[in-house]
Amino acid sequence: MFAAVFFWLLRIYSKGRLDGWYVEACIILATVFQIFARAIADYKQSCRFEKLTEEKRNVYLEVIRGGRRVRVSVYDIVVGDIVPLKNGCQVPADGVLFVANALKVDEQEITDSDEIVQKDLQTNPFLLSGSKLIEGIGTMLVTSVGMNTEWGLKMEIQQETDEEKPFQGYLKWLAISASWLVVLFASVAFSVRLGRYFSGWTKKSDGTPMFIYGITTVDEATEFVITSLSFGIATIVVAVPVGLSIAVRLNFAKTTKKMRKDKVLVQSLSAFGRMGSVTTILCHQTGILTSNQMSVVDVWAGGIRMQDMDTVSQLPTTLKELIIEGIAQNTNGSVVFETGVTEPEVYGSPTEQAILNLGNKLGMKFDDARSASLARHTIPFNPTKKYGGVALQLGTHAHVHWKGSAKTILSSCEGYMDGANNSRAIDEQKRKFFEGTIENMCKEGLRCAALAYQPCELGRISTIKEPRNLVLLAIIGIKDPCRPGTRDAIQLCNSASVKVCMVTADDVLTAQAIAIECGILTDACRNIWTGAQFRELSDLEKEQIAGDILVFAQSSPSDNLLLVQALKKRGHIVAATGMGIHDPNTLREADVSLAMGVGGTAAAKENSDIIILDDNFATIVKCIIWSRSLYTNVQRSILFRLTVSVSALAICVVEVVIYDAFPLNAVQLLLLNLIIDILGALALAYRPRADDHLMGKPPVGIRDPLITKTMWSKLIIQVVYLVLSLVLINSEKLLKLKHGHTGNAEKVMNTFIFNSFVFCLVCNEFEIQSVDQTFKEILRENMFLVTITSTIISQIIVIEFASIFISSVRLDLKKWVTTSLLGLLSQVATRFPYPTNQYYP
């Protein structure tokens, strides 16, 4: 805008003898475009943030409505809904408890208190939306939703953070450095121009000096100074790379929009920029590497091991009744029989659904089994101790049913039920048999659970807190198959030198089998550590061993945090997944945090950089590919913009210093600026897709320079080529014109230089775009073809029909062909036998 005002004042001073109103118009148009481009990008980013906020808080859960369980979004919960709560969940609305069993709640997010609050029906039955259940189970009645809750009010006042965008620091340094260099060289050219003039070296067409002391008038000298100054300012306007930020904004806007279709939601742009540099992914097993669609495929009960679930109904009657009793009562899930539907609807966690489906195959009538006994006392499932129980009253006697990790339950068992409905003691040989059965199931990649019960007197129910003297009813092997495409995605990571470390709370043998199935492990018993083993190491030992761990079994969220810290100390760029309410610390510590859109809690989503909407590991790999694609696109845009800036500056400086002439006038330079900032940015920002070939090389370090040595080489060669072309044109061997400062010859030469420069830039765009694409692939990129075509058509219109506005003349067909050939040769000159970008094979 300063330049526009400056030219306007000069035009007033010179009474319209300069270029005219269109000079200021070009500057204002360029400035307005940049303002609108930034405003539109910021507006779209604001809209994206609003949608993102809504998406990341969208959690699906089960509620009881109209007497039956339904799965609804947290946004669809209404006052009056009954919400079952269990350890690890986040309270979705304000409500009041009417069932509570050892319920402990963390309300730090709401009240800023570090204390864990005990909830009960007598003294403190109220729950606040956003609080987290640390222990226990319960059921609440919803009393407030949406903005009427404490959590809703707190979330409403949160605003988008003004985070630093990826590459922002580097681009800021690059733009400032380039700006100072441009000003320096433009000042040198201006000074040389004035020095030549006032020293008498600048000649008229008749060979006499343009400036003769005492003869040349003040007006003539002033006009020469103003013309030279306007040329210098126009050179600065076009050469200063102000369009770099616009190119980066366009790239980010288009990339994040396309990623949304690939089930990736970006919350932090800076973290997304780091995703392409990730060297290690800490990935949870359940629900990400596996499908989280569990089913019981192996059962030992009554002395028989059954792998065909259709035969389990043949178990002895008493044993079957005990198993059904334990399954129906010791669960947070439910089974609903709809009228006219043969198969019942099963609700609950994936593990609970698998066990309830086993009960259905045993002939369980869920509602009848629940009403046959009275639950007097519940021991909520404890993820640390890995068991949970329920005490039942059956007339004058009682049963306490336990469910949990097979090894944990077996260690508390003193007997087992045989095939004749008899309880037999477990001797040493039988215990080894059971342990071997569990080990065999684990080696097949099954998660092993066990069902057991404890008969007791009715008066002792309230005193039972832990499993003791149990009778083993069944050992259950639950299969959670790997997701389709997971193995290929992990192989793709391996080819890109990105290590995948599987973290899980499962047994070592189960984790090992699943890791082999997924392709993480190729050799059993290697690179496998447990959380307990890792905790015992010193800090130095943790750092030394962390990079070799491929499977981290029996680990807790605190163990995962230690592993992330150790990896970062060794220089790894770590991406970590998180799903539960205990994962935020690990997510905050990781360089890139990934929450799951389906199975993730609101706490995990709030503390993540990227949300994987389909919980699929293959989508995480797509995220890496998109990040690398963005990196390459930004490099393309920077290379093109710097090539234009340096080329324009070099041509102007060389022409002024050596030939004492202006090859490009102010309007032509400003027209170039419009072509670069509008059409050039659009042409290189719109990439149709990200390709797997970007995973063919190791990640680029986050501190590696954005502009590689090869890119500098291409830039220098392009500039040298343009300068040599300029020398060739001025030598009169190409145009064969009688050069001089009179007539039309000078205008023809300058128009020819301007046209050649534009075609060189067009071909340079094509060369940059075609580095990793075939000609057929480029022809499928509509936006690129439209922008290139628009540039060429605009140039033809300007030269042939609007030459008066840019002080040019029309060119004949021969000169058009010659300028086109000069552009094509510029592409050949910058072709390299080695890649420009680090990710190209």
Side-chain angles (χ1 to χ4, degrees):
M1 297 306 293
F2 168 77
V5 173
F6 176 80
F7 281 119
W8 178 65
L9 292 175
L10 291 185
R11 186 161 60 86
I12 292 176
Y13 177 83
S14 59
K15 298 179 181 179
R17 285 178 291 174
L18 289 176
D19 297 302
W21 59 269
Y22 38 85
V23 178
E24 298 93 285
C26 287
I27 301 176
I28 292 173
L29 184 59
T31 308
V32 168
F33 164 74
Q34 292 173 16
I35 292 172
F36 269 89
R38 290 173 184 269
I40 291 171
D42 289 341
Y43 173 73
K44 287 185 176 180
Q45 184 175 336
S46 177
C47 294
R48 181 186 61 83
F49 178 76
E50 291 178 3
K51 291 180 180 179
L52 173 69
T53 301
E54 182 178 350
E55 181 66 36
K56 72 182 180 182
R57 296 175 191 162
N58 187 20
V59 177
Y60 285 87
L61 69 163
E62 293 176 1
V63 302
I64 299 173
R65 181 184 295 172
R68 60 185 297 268
R69 286 203 180 207
V70 292
R71 183 174 172 83
V72 299
S73 165
V74 69
Y75 292 112
D76 296 330
I77 291 178
V78 296
V79 173
D81 280 344
I82 295 173
V83 182
L85 303 169
K86 61 179 181 179
N87 171 37
C89 76
Q90 188 164 351
V91 180
D94 289 354
V96 60
L97 287 166
F98 61 88
V99 175
N101 290 294
L103 205 60
K104 293 182 180 180
V105 177
D106 178 5
E107 296 181 343
Q108 183 177 2
E109 294 283 345
I110 307 300
T111 63
D112 296 326
S113 173
D114 295 334
E115 296 183 1
I116 302 300
V117 182
Q118 180 82 38
K119 297 288 183 177
D120 56 54
L121 303 184
Q122 287 75 33
T123 60
N124 191 1
F126 298 102
L127 291 176
L128 297 178
S129 173
S131 55
K132 304 167 187 176
L133 268 67
I134 304 301
E135 288 185 15
I137 59 175
T139 307
M140 80 169 192
L141 176 69
V142 175
T143 58
S144 300
V145 296
M147 283 304 302
N148 295 318
T149 65
E150 293 295 326
W151 179 256
L153 292 173
K154 184 174 182 179
M155 289 297 100
E156 184 67 18
I157 62 174
Q158 288 189 358
Q159 300 294 328
E160 180 182 5
T161 56
D162 187 19
E163 62 165 340
E164 182 174 290
K165 306 300 185 294
F167 321 118
Q168 187 174 1
Y170 185 86
L171 291 178
K172 187 182 295 182
W173 169 85
L174 185 65
I176 292 174
S177 302
S179 300
W180 281 110
L181 288 175
V182 168
V183 172
L184 175 63
F185 281 103
S187 300
V188 169
F190 174 69
S191 301
V192 170
R193 176 76 170 164
L194 293 186
R196 284 176 175 273
Y197 176 76
F198 288 110
S199 63
W201 289 5
T202 303
K203 307 295 184 181
K204 296 180 181 178
S205 57
D206 57 4
T208 60
M210 291 186 68
F211 179 82
I212 301 175
Y213 184 76
I215 299 177
T216 304
T217 64
V218 175
D219 287 343
E220 291 175 339
T222 303
E223 183 176 352
F224 183 87
V225 172
I226 289 175
T227 305
S228 301
L229 183 59
S230 65
F231 174 77
I233 292 176
T235 302
I236 292 173
V237 170
V238 73
V240 170
V242 293
L244 282 179
S245 61
I246 295 177
V248 173
R249 285 169 184 262
L250 284 173
N251 274 292
F252 265 100
K254 294 307 299 179
T255 300
T256 52
K257 183 178 180 181
K258 292 172 185 174
M259 289 175 65
R260 186 67 174 79
K261 297 179 180 179
D262 278 342
K263 306 297 182 182
V264 178
L265 200 62
V266 178
Q267 300 195 87
S268 169
L269 294 179
S270 58
F272 172 59
R274 292 191 295 271
M275 191 65 186
S277 299
V278 162
T279 59
T280 303
I281 302 175
L282 242 64
C283 184
H284 283 74
Q285 167 199 306
T286 305
I288 303 176
L289 295 172
T290 61
S291 63
N292 208 21
Q293 296 177 352
M294 301 186 189
S295 58
V296 177
V297 297
D298 201 344
V299 175
W300 181 95
I304 307 171
R305 185 170 177 182
M306 296 161 284
Q307 294 179 323
D308 182 2
M309 294 302 101
D310 292 333
T311 62
V312 295
S313 60
Q314 301 174 6
L315 288 173
T317 304
T318 302
L319 174 60
K320 186 163 60 173
E321 288 176 352
L322 284 170
I323 293 176
I324 290 174
E325 183 180 86
I327 290 175
Q329 292 285 14
N330 192 14
T331 182
N332 288 322
S334 64
V335 179
V336 178
F337 286 88
E338 297 286 351
T339 304
V341 179
T342 56
E343 292 295 327
E345 285 285 339
V346 180
Y347 297 94
S349 69
T351 303
E352 288 175 332
Q353 289 184 37
I355 296 175
L356 287 171
N357 279 320
L358 172 64
N360 291 335
K361 291 183 181 295
L362 287 169
M364 175 181 69
K365 303 297 183 184
F366 184 77
D367 292 335
D368 294 342
R370 296 275 289 188
S371 60
S373 57
L374 177 63
R376 293 286 302 275
H377 177 59
T378 301
I379 302 92
F381 182 82
N382 188 312
T384 303
K385 296 179 180 179
K386 297 184 178 180
Y387 61 75
V390 60
L392 307 176
Q393 178 182 350
L394 298 94
T396 58
H397 64 285
H399 288 167
V400 182
H401 282 273
W402 296 90
K403 177 178 66 178
S405 166
K407 289 183 178 180
T408 303
I409 297 297
L410 179 63
S411 65
S412 301
C413 288
E414 300 294 334
Y416 71 96
M417 292 290 290
D418 65 7
N421 291 326
N422 298 318
S423 175
R424 294 182 174 275
I426 299 178
D427 56 20
E428 191 65 28
Q429 182 180 358
K430 201 64 179 178
R431 188 170 297 278
K432 288 183 178 180
F433 168 77
F434 288 137
E435 290 174 350
T437 300
I438 294 171
E439 181 177 332
N440 183 263
M441 288 183 180
C442 289
K443 286 182 177 179
E444 294 177 3
L446 305 182
R447 307 176 79 176
C448 287
L451 304 177
Y453 90 110
Q454 174 186 358
C456 70
E457 297 176 0
L458 192 60
R460 293 183 54 241
I461 285 182
S462 60
T463 63
I464 296 176
K465 304 294 182 182
E466 295 181 352
R468 287 181 189 156
N469 302 322
L470 305 184
V471 177
L472 182 65
L473 298 177
I475 299 173
I476 300 170
I478 302 173
K479 179 69 174 177
D480 186 12
C482 283
R483 284 183 180 271
T486 296
R487 190 177 186 89
D488 293 338
I490 289 174
Q491 290 177 352
L492 201 58
C493 286
N494 293 335
S495 67
S497 299
V498 178
K499 188 191 75 174
V500 180
C501 175
M502 185 181 82
V503 296
T504 178
D506 284 348
D507 182 82
V508 172
L509 294 176
T510 302
Q512 176 182 290
I514 293 176
I516 292 174
E517 183 182 356
C518 292
I520 295 175
L521 285 180
T522 55
D523 186 10
C525 301
R526 294 187 60 187
N527 307 108
I528 303 176
W529 284 71
T530 65
Q533 291 172 335
F534 192 74
R535 280 196 303 270
E536 297 300 320
L537 300 176
S538 66
D539 290 343
L540 180 60
E541 289 173 329
K542 287 174 185 171
E543 292 177 30
Q544 292 173 342
I545 202 67
D548 297 327
I549 298 176
L550 294 178
V551 175
F552 201 44
Q554 296 177 341
S555 64
S556 64
S558 58
D559 296 327
N560 299 338
L561 175 61
L562 292 175
L563 181 56
V564 171
Q565 291 171 340
L567 286 167
K568 290 183 67 176
K569 288 179 181 178
R570 294 295 290 180
H572 290 265
I573 307 300
V574 183
T577 63
M579 302 178 77
I581 65 169
H582 302 291
D583 290 330
N585 288 336
T586 304
L587 293 173
R588 284 191 290 265
E589 183 66 27
D591 295 290
V592 183
S593 52
L594 306 165
M596 300 300 114
V598 178
T601 60
K605 293 180 181 180
E606 290 287 345
N607 289 276
S608 66
D609 300 316
I610 298 169
I611 299 177
I612 307 300
L613 297 176
D614 61 354
D615 293 13
N616 197 334
F617 180 78
T619 305
I620 297 177
V621 178
K622 288 181 183 178
C623 186
I624 296 177
I625 296 174
W626 275 116
S627 180
R628 292 188 173 193
S629 175
L630 173 70
Y631 187 90
T632 61
N633 287 351
V634 170
Q635 283 187 314
R636 288 187 183 96
S637 300
I638 291 175
L639 178 59
F640 175 69
R641 190 61 181 87
L642 288 182
T643 300
V644 174
S645 298
V646 177
S647 299
L649 185 64
I651 288 176
C652 294
V653 171
V654 169
E655 186 77 7
V656 168
V657 173
I658 297 178
Y659 297 104
D660 194 21
F662 293 141
L664 303 175
N665 57 49
V667 183
Q668 289 172 343
L669 287 172
L670 295 172
L671 185 61
L672 279 174
N673 193 45
L674 288 176
I675 293 174
I676 296 162
D677 283 340
I678 298 177
L679 300 179
L682 289 174
L684 296 176
Y686 284 71
R687 298 282 289 179
R689 57 191 170 85
D691 294 319
D692 290 351
H693 72 262
L694 293 170
M695 297 290 283
K697 287 195 174 182
V700 175
I702 56 175
R703 293 178 179 83
D704 288 358
L706 197 59
I707 305 177
T708 64
K709 293 180 180 178
T710 307
M711 291 172 67
W712 284 117
S713 301
K714 290 173 73 69
L715 189 151
I716 292 171
I717 290 176
Q718 179 75 11
V719 172
V720 170
Y721 172 82
L722 288 171
V723 171
L724 291 178
S725 300
L726 183 65
V727 172
L728 181 63
I729 294 170
N730 278 279
S731 68
E732 303 183 12
K733 293 182 179 179
L734 186 63
L735 291 179
K736 299 187 182 300
L737 295 171
K738 183 179 180 181
H739 285 192
H741 293 274
T742 60
N744 211 34
E746 184 177 0
K747 280 192 173 182
V748 172
M749 184 182 69
N750 290 342
T751 304
F752 187 86
I753 292 173
F754 174 63
N755 208 43
S756 300
F757 189 33
V758 171
F759 272 92
C760 285
L761 295 182
V762 170
C763 292
N764 183 248
E765 283 185 76
F766 194 93
E767 192 272 335
I768 291 173
Q769 186 79 352
S770 62
V771 168
D772 64 330
Q773 291 183 305
T774 64
F775 185 73
K776 288 184 178 179
E777 290 175 332
I778 292 177
L779 291 179
R780 289 197 294 265
E781 293 192 27
N782 296 330
M783 180 57 71
F784 180 76
L785 295 178
V786 167
T787 51
I788 292 293
T789 305
S790 300
T791 304
I792 296 174
I793 292 174
S794 300
Q795 182 66 10
I796 293 172
I797 292 173
V798 167
I799 296 296
E800 295 297 323
F801 304 104
S803 57
I804 186 174
F805 293 103
I806 62 171
S807 300
S808 64
V809 295
R810 293 185 176 183
L811 298 177
D812 56 32
L813 181 60
K814 180 180 178 181
K815 293 182 179 62
W816 276 103
V817 172
T818 306
T819 55
S820 302
L821 289 175
L822 284 173
L824 291 173
L825 288 175
S826 71
Q827 183 181 177
V828 175
T830 52
R831 283 287 179 178
F832 280 85
Y834 47 93
T836 303
N837 188 279
Q838 299 95 314
Y839 290 126
Y840 294 149

